[in-house]
Amino acid sequence: MKCFAILILSLLTILSASYFGYKEFTQSYHIHSDFVLFIDGTQFNFTQPEYMTSTDICATDYTSKHTHLHDANGSVIHIHKKEQTVGDFFKSIGFALTDDSLTVNTQVVYKNNTNKKWQFFINGMATSSLQDYPFTDLDQILLSYGNPKTTDISTELTKMTHTACVYSEKCPKPVDMVLPIERCGSDE
């Protein structure tokens, strides 16, 4: 009888740990990418509530179900469906990305012109197009808009976090970091 009680207690402990966010649900497809966006040398703040997706909303057909940000972490994109692109992510938060422009919050447009242009980097390598790039696990993505003569890309690249690996469980989790339960997944 004592062994049975210990077994039940152990199972309840495991279930409650999972419920309270100590580990994400196992999902058929779930990858993460670090990213950062600079406009005229200023890092864009994606930690604002309007860019966050509640992990509970993932049970709906909401546009950010498969590609989103959450837990006030504006530097890690969560991807739950294969072939999701950088353009899909920006669309999910109300932005529009092309090879030569970014429309922010459907109002402000940052477009290539004679003085300023977009520069895109994937894992430290320059690329001319980003909108159709399909995410891979642990990507490091930089979007930089400004005067190419004065923009310090190497400094901007150093602002990239290395937190995607924590969410993907490929590097140690800092002691003070609590990972939420994530209810998003896919049929893949």
Side-chain angles (χ1 to χ4, degrees), residues 21-32:
Y22 295 102
K23 182 144 174 72
E24 295 183 14
F25 283 115
T26 301
Q27 298 160 3
S28 56
Y29 192 82
H30 189 188
I31 65 171
H32 304 90

Side-chain angles (χ1 to χ4, degrees), residues 24-52:
E24 295 183 14
F25 283 115
T26 301
Q27 298 160 3
S28 56
Y29 192 82
H30 189 188
I31 65 171
H32 304 90
S33 293
D34 292 298
F35 87 110
V36 65
L37 167 71
F38 282 89
I39 297 174
D40 293 323
T42 300
Q43 186 171 342
F44 194 89
N45 181 6
F46 283 102
T47 63
Q48 301 170 69
E50 62 262 35
Y51 305 122
M52 294 292 126

Side-chain angles (χ1 to χ4, degrees), residues 91 111 115 152 160 162 170:
K91 182 179 178 182
K111 187 170 178 63
N115 297 319
D152 186 356
M160 184 80 60
H162 298 278
K170 296 187 176 164

Side-chain angles (χ1 to χ4, degrees), residues 25-164:
F25 283 115
T26 301
Q27 298 160 3
S28 56
Y29 192 82
H30 189 188
I31 65 171
H32 304 90
S33 293
D34 292 298
F35 87 110
V36 65
L37 167 71
F38 282 89
I39 297 174
D40 293 323
T42 300
Q43 186 171 342
F44 194 89
N45 181 6
F46 283 102
T47 63
Q48 301 170 69
E50 62 262 35
Y51 305 122
M52 294 292 126
T53 298
S54 164
T55 55
D56 292 330
I57 204 156
C58 295
T60 71
D61 288 330
Y62 190 65
T63 57
S64 61
K65 177 179 180 177
H66 298 300
T67 309
H68 56 259
L69 305 169
H70 60 69
D71 31 289
N73 185 335
S75 63
V76 175
I77 302 171
H78 298 251
I79 303 102
H80 299 274
K81 185 176 180 184
K82 289 180 183 176
E83 302 303 317
Q84 290 291 288
T85 66
V86 174
D88 293 329
F89 164 69
F90 279 108
K91 182 179 178 182
S92 78
I93 59 170
F95 289 27
L97 176 67
T98 69
D99 290 342
D100 68 351
S101 70
L102 180 70
T103 303
V104 177
N105 299 331
T106 68
Q107 299 167 4
V108 181
V109 179
Y110 296 94
K111 187 170 178 63
N112 286 354
N113 59 51
T114 56
N115 297 319
K116 298 179 182 182
K117 73 173 202 163
W118 281 102
Q119 297 180 77
F120 306 123
F121 294 82
I122 302 168
N123 302 320
M125 302 297 294
T127 184
S128 60
S129 182
L130 196 58
Q131 68 188 21
D132 295 323
Y133 175 76
F135 290 102
T136 61
D137 200 22
L138 309 184
D139 275 334
Q140 300 260 300
I141 297 172
L142 167 66
L143 299 90
S144 179
Y145 179 76
N147 184 328
K149 295 178 183 176
T150 59
T151 300
D152 186 356
I153 294 297
S154 60
T155 298
E156 291 180 353
L157 283 168
T158 66
K159 303 297 182 183
M160 184 80 60
T161 65
H162 298 278
T163 311

